[in-house]
Amino acid sequence: MHVLILGGTTEARRLAELLHGTTGLRLTSSLAGRVASPRLPPGETRVGGFGGPDGLAGWLSEHMVDAVVDATHPFAGTISFNAAEAAAVTHVPLLALRRPGWVPVEGDRWHEAASLAEAARLLPALGRRVFLTTGRMGLAAFADLDDLWFLVRSVDAPEAPHPPRMEALLDRGPFTLDGERALLRRHRIDVVVTKDSGGAATAPKLSAAREAGLPVVVVRRPPVPEGVPVVADPESAAGWLCERLGQHFYPGR
């Protein structure tokens, strides 16, 4: 049996670890290739795009894939919809593995935005020194805000177009609450921008912003394609695969 994991996330690596070594299972993890030195999961890996839904459908057929788990980042919307279309064409079962989104608590000063462009429109009324934690992709949405200063944190160096007044901080989570507190103080941050990625690895920035009374612009995540079942953790994804692939599949054995 052949399982394809569309990965690049902590959850995808954890699922690969759960499945690795399972008797009778071929496991392939696909990475988008947007990070120069990704953390590779166990099992086979491939890097790069498929060429749209038709290319992915062809790959599923050529490699005789029995099930697909879309464990991509919650904001990697294009591949999710390509996967849904390809799975429908090839009749391959598809599951979405999505970590739960963050939920505001008492003391949070959240301002929700539907897109990076909307987040950029909100910023001038909220602060002047911005901690931008949406990654290096999509910085063009903030490129016209020349009155604001940005601290941009990403794994790899950002490329133009980006805000003209910007300092890049190359770092990879998980991050600590003490570290985030110190970062906000050191750079005199007065507003934070984040995507609703969910998970614990980057959540401390929200706690640090709450303690400091800072506004946070939270970009809402795109929806999962209609009709695709969703689970919240790798263990549930492994259980779904066991049910789908039946007697041919025994996780961990």
Side-chain angles (χ1 to χ4, degrees):
M1 307 298 291
H2 188 187
V3 172
L4 172 65
I5 300 175
L6 302 174
T9 60
T10 301
E11 291 77 17
R13 288 192 297 274
R14 174 56 181 158
L15 178 59
E17 291 168 356
L18 289 173
L19 301 179
H20 184 59
T22 298
T23 301
L25 177 68
R26 177 188 173 191
L27 178 64
T28 302
S29 294
S30 178
L31 309 178
R34 292 180 175 175
V35 176
S37 300
R39 296 172 179 170
L40 296 180
E44 299 178 36
T45 58
R46 66 172 302 281
V47 178
F50 291 93
D54 292 340
L56 178 52
W59 199 93
L60 297 179
S61 297
E62 179 183 354
H63 294 269
M64 299 193 300
V65 173
D66 296 287
V68 179
V69 178
D70 172 16
T72 55
H73 192 276
F75 283 83
T78 300
I79 183 59
S80 296
F81 282 88
N82 288 350
E85 187 174 335
V89 169
T90 57
H91 304 289
V92 173
L94 170 66
L95 176 73
L97 170 54
R98 291 288 186 274
R99 70 187 75 151
W102 291 316
V103 178
V105 300
E106 185 177 355
D108 281 326
R109 296 174 57 197
W110 285 15
H111 301 262
E112 291 195 353
S115 64
L116 291 176
E118 184 178 343
R121 289 194 294 270
L122 293 174
L123 279 178
L126 297 174
R128 284 291 178 265
R129 297 183 64 84
V130 184
F131 183 27
L132 187 58
T133 67
T134 57
R136 67 186 180 93
M137 310 298 291
L139 293 182
F142 305 89
D144 294 333
L145 298 176
D146 50 10
D147 289 338
L148 307 185
W149 180 87
F150 289 83
L151 176 66
V152 175
R153 182 164 67 191
S154 61
V155 176
D156 294 319
E159 300 176 355
H162 54 64
R165 301 176 61 207
M166 181 195 80
E167 178 179 332
L169 175 61
L170 304 186
D171 204 355
R172 189 199 305 257
F175 303 106
T176 66
L177 180 55
D178 284 343
E180 300 293 64
R181 287 169 176 152
L183 184 148
L184 296 181
R185 289 194 301 267
R186 183 167 62 251
H187 295 279
R188 306 192 314 279
I189 299 298
D190 56 17
V191 59
V192 178
V193 182
T194 183
K195 294 176 177 177
D196 180 17
S197 301
T202 60
K205 63 189 171 191
L206 301 176
S207 299
R210 183 189 316 119
E211 291 178 358
L214 301 183
V216 180
V217 179
V218 181
V219 181
R220 295 192 298 270
R221 60 174 61 181
V224 172
E226 186 176 355
V228 177
V230 182
V231 296
D233 57 77
E235 291 75 15
S236 297
W240 180 88
L241 286 168
C242 185
E243 292 177 2
R244 281 287 180 174
L245 302 183
Q247 61 182 352
H248 303 285
F249 180 77
Y250 301 95
R253 292 171 54 187

